[in-house]
């Protein structure tokens, strides 16, 4: 018997005119803004030959493209494949997870190139872009993908686009405050990407609290193959995280160090996650939710200090701690946040991004404050923290204080911005599904009938075989 399709019941989820209108109008706006403001940077422009002569560059190999593009590829895969597949664990929301992640990321990178360009590469009335701008735009969108994890399955595509518009804007402002005004170091984005993105998403989902979400509880779980798809996302993220944390670091020792520190932290995190996942289950069995998520916490927690002299054993310690904190969070904190604070966190971003992001900010502040010339060398210390120009009199202890201030600023921006955006998304005009239809692909997607039966009933053979 054909399974009846949901009609949205009390809410109008019809997207035929609303979604095309928003997508087309916003893309036309992007075309106009790019036409007015965006131009190729010196290393991507056809005048590169003149640029080489001016800077006494003898080979095209010294073009930034050849240094940055491999890292850009890795980061790009993380955003579109890693995050997309990681969120495919829901048994009836695979299309929505990977498809809407694709949508918000594609729009977000365009808006991020503009917003970050106005703040960081605006010269003579134009935004000059190169491969590093592409990486930073992906970083910005990574923050949006993190927030998406908190509201996964509970929002319409229009709500996601609106959230992306506002979050990218606020991300660019927060990033400018931290990197340019406070002059903090945050190579892997523990503060600017993870802390901001996670607490922004948690605030939004708190404002969008659904008291009757229990009506769709049967769809909030996974099935065997959906967990396997999610694990593909985990492995992509885990493998490429060293590139993520080192992508925009200074060429040379800083970038090299960032990759090594991240590599070590991630490795240690896997072991502690496995250990505590087994320890915290009554039968001692591993929980795939922990393995998919908490094993990545080491990459988040080492982000701020990645290019500092954290040392390999220090990175192992950070990964050791973050794996424990994240796994314990999934077991105890997620249920507490939902029952007591009304925070319905679909993907558990509080455990993977929020708490490890805070750990990363704290570790970065301590590592910066403890920096000495004996460890870095005089020139190395100046280069590592960019103690030049107006910051040449800044000391490591003062730098540590500014690093700590960066955590506070990111939290305040996330909470205030999330509350504002959550209030906007709560308006009953965006076509979100009713509580009983959350986590359901066929509200917004055409789902093949044969696939519907396989996905929905694969663990109930009697039901699947019924006429």
């Amino acid at each position: 018997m054909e399974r009846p399709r949901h009609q949205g019941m009390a809410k109008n989820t019809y997207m035929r005119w609303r979604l095309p209108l928003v997508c087309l109008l916003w893309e036309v706006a992007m075309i106009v803004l790019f036409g007015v403001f965006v131009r190729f940077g010196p290393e991507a422009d056809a005048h590169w030959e003149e640029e080489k002569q001016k800077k006494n560059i003898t080979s095209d190999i010294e073009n930034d493209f050849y240094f940055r593009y491999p890292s850009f590829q890795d980061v790009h895969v993380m955003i579109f494949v890693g995050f997309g597949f990681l969120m495919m664990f829901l048994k009836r929301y695979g299309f929505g997870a990977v498809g809407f992640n694709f949508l918000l990321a594609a729009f977000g990178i365009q808006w991020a190139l503009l917003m970050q360009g106005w703040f960081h590469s605006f010269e003579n009335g134009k935004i000059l872009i190169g491969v590093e701008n592409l990486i930073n735009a992906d970083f910005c969108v990574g923050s949006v993908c993190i927030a998406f994890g908190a509201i996964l399955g509970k929002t319409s595509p229009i709500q996601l686009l609106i959230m992306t518009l506002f979050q990218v804007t606020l991300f660019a402002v927060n990033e400018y405050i931290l990197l340019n005004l406070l002059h903090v170091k945050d190579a892997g984005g523990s503060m600017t990407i993870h802390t901001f993105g996670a607490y922004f998403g948690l605030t939004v989902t708190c404002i969008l609290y659904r008291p009757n979400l229990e009506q769709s509880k049967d769809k909030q779980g996974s099935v065997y193959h959906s967990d396997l798809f999610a694990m593909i996302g985990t492995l992509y993220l885990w493998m490429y995280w060293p590139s993520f944390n080192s992508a925009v670091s200074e060429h040379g020792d800083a970038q090299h160090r960032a990759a090594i520190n991240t590599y070590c932290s991630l490795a240690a995190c896997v072991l502690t996650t496995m250990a505590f996942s087994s320890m915290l289950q009554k039968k001692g069995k591993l929980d795939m939710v922990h393995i998919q998520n908490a094993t990545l916490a080491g990459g988040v927690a080492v982000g701020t200090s990645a290019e500092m002299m954290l040392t390999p054993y220090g990175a192992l310690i950070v990964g050791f701690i973050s794996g424990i904190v994240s796994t314990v969070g999934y077991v105890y904190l997620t249920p507490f946040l939902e029952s007591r604070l009304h925070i319905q966190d679909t993907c558990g971003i509080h455990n993977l991004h929020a708490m490890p992001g805070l750990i990363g900010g704290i570790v970065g502040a301590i590592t910066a404050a403890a920096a000495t010339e004996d460890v870095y060398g005089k020139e190395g210390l100046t280069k590592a923290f960019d103690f030049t120009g107006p910051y040449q009199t800044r000391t490591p202890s003062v730098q540590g204080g500014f690093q700590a201030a960066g955590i506070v600023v990111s939290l305040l921006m996330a909470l205030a911005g999330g509350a504002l955006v959550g209030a906007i998304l709560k308006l009953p005009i965006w076509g979100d599904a009713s509580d009983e239809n959350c986590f359901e692909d066929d509200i917004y997607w055409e789902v093949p009938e044969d696939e519907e039966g396989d996905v929905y009933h694969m663990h109930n053979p009697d039901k699947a075989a019924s006429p």
Side-chain angles (χ1 to χ4, degrees):
M1 182 173 65
E2 181 179 336
R3 183 176 175 274
R5 290 189 176 271
H6 296 274
Q7 300 300 322
M9 298 190 181
K11 293 195 174 187
N12 180 10
T13 59
Y14 188 66
M15 287 285 129
R16 185 174 183 184
W17 302 114
R18 284 185 285 186
L19 182 59
L21 183 64
V22 171
C23 288
L24 294 175
L25 282 178
W26 286 12
E27 189 55 42
V28 169
M30 291 299 105
I31 292 171
V32 172
L33 289 170
F34 269 64
V36 173
F37 291 106
V38 180
R39 299 293 184 270
F40 292 122
E43 297 189 36
D45 192 84
H47 293 85
W48 166 241
E49 292 300 323
E50 299 169 19
E51 187 74 13
K52 283 198 299 183
Q53 295 174 13
K54 187 188 303 182
K55 295 185 177 180
N56 293 320
I57 295 173
T58 58
S59 171
D60 285 333
I61 294 297
E62 295 184 57
N63 189 301
D64 203 40
F65 176 87
Y66 297 100
F67 290 102
R68 301 290 186 191
Y69 192 74
S71 295
F72 164 70
Q73 286 180 304
D74 294 350
V75 173
H76 215 47
V77 168
M78 289 177 71
I79 299 302
F80 288 91
V81 179
F83 279 111
F85 273 73
L86 180 63
M87 291 185 279
M88 284 185 67
F89 67 95
L90 293 171
K91 57 187 173 184
R92 299 190 188 182
Y93 205 70
F95 287 7
V98 74
F100 290 151
N101 183 79
F102 194 10
L103 173 66
L104 67 85
F107 167 63
I109 57 177
Q110 297 175 72
W111 184 229
L113 284 171
L114 289 165
M115 284 302 307
Q116 292 176 312
W118 283 319
F119 279 115
H120 301 291
S121 57
F122 194 63
E123 297 180 17
N124 300 319
K126 303 298 179 184
I127 296 170
L128 304 181
I129 66 170
V131 68
E132 189 169 341
N133 298 78
L134 307 186
I135 296 172
N136 282 317
D138 275 359
F139 282 169
C140 180
V141 167
S143 178
V144 182
C145 294
I146 291 166
F148 176 40
I151 57 175
L152 181 69
K154 300 175 291 186
T155 48
S156 72
I158 293 178
Q159 285 177 305
L160 293 175
L161 287 169
I162 292 170
M163 185 186 79
T164 302
L165 178 71
F166 281 98
Q167 188 175 352
V168 167
T169 304
L170 292 168
F171 176 95
V173 173
N174 182 61
E175 182 185 53
Y176 179 77
I177 293 172
L178 265 65
L179 302 187
N180 294 71
L181 302 184
L182 299 181
H183 195 63
V184 306
K185 307 300 287 184
D186 193 27
S190 293
M191 296 182 287
T192 53
I193 300 172
H194 300 285
T195 299
F196 173 78
Y199 283 102
F200 182 95
L202 292 169
T203 306
V204 170
T205 196
C206 183
I207 300 296
L208 298 181
Y209 175 68
R210 291 174 175 265
N212 299 313
L213 198 60
E214 286 291 316
Q215 295 177 11
S216 56
K217 188 174 183 179
D218 62 312
K219 291 170 280 190
Q220 295 182 42
S222 62
V223 289
Y224 192 79
H225 76 272
S226 68
D227 269 335
L228 285 177
F229 274 119
M231 195 63 198
I232 293 172
T234 298
L235 292 174
Y236 269 106
L237 290 169
W238 196 90
M239 289 188 299
Y240 290 143
W241 217 294
S243 294
F244 189 93
N245 283 356
S246 64
V248 294
S249 296
E250 290 290 332
H251 300 323
D253 63 291
Q255 194 166 44
H256 200 161
R257 195 161 52 242
I260 293 172
N261 282 333
T262 307
Y263 182 96
C264 293
S265 183
L266 285 165
C269 187
V270 173
L271 272 72
T272 52
T273 297
M274 292 279 189
F276 272 75
S277 180
S278 176
M279 186 188 307
L280 297 176
Q281 301 299 313
K282 290 182 180 179
K283 295 183 179 180
K285 295 183 178 181
L286 298 170
D287 189 327
M288 201 60 169
V289 173
H290 307 157
I291 310 309
Q292 290 163 357
N293 295 279
T295 52
L296 302 171
V300 177
V302 81
T304 298
S305 59
E307 62 182 11
M308 301 179 192
M309 289 289 286
L310 181 62
T311 72
Y313 81 87
L316 290 175
I317 293 172
V318 172
F320 184 97
I321 294 171
S322 57
I324 295 171
V325 170
S326 184
T327 307
V328 170
Y330 276 100
V331 175
Y332 298 112
L333 284 182
T334 297
F336 173 83
L337 292 176
E338 182 167 355
S339 62
R340 300 297 177 87
L341 301 181
H342 292 173
I343 297 176
Q344 296 163 325
D345 181 7
T346 306
C347 291
I349 66 169
H350 181 258
N351 312 306
L352 172 53
H353 298 282
M355 292 191 296
L358 291 176
I359 292 172
I362 293 168
V363 170
I366 294 172
T367 308
T372 64
E373 288 188 8
D374 289 340
V375 174
Y376 287 79
K378 186 175 182 179
E379 292 183 6
L381 184 65
T382 300
K383 182 182 176 183
F385 296 100
D386 195 19
F387 288 159
T388 57
Y391 307 102
Q392 61 184 345
T393 58
R394 184 176 286 189
T395 63
S397 59
V398 172
Q399 180 67 30
F402 277 97
Q403 295 285 145
I407 304 172
V408 176
V409 172
S410 290
L411 278 171
L412 293 176
M413 288 288 291
L415 297 175
L420 172 64
V421 175
I424 294 172
L425 299 185
K426 200 172 179 68
L427 297 173
I429 59 175
W430 309 122
D432 56 311
S434 56
D435 291 348
E436 63 268 27
N437 288 335
C438 287
F439 316 110
E440 186 78 68
D441 262 338
D442 67 355
I443 300 300
Y444 302 111
W445 297 86
E446 287 289 345
V447 180
E449 292 297 328
D450 55 337
E451 294 297 323
E452 274 188 348
D454 291 343
V455 170
Y456 295 161
H457 307 308
M458 69 179 297
H459 286 320
N460 191 343
D462 296 333
K463 191 170 184 177
S466 63

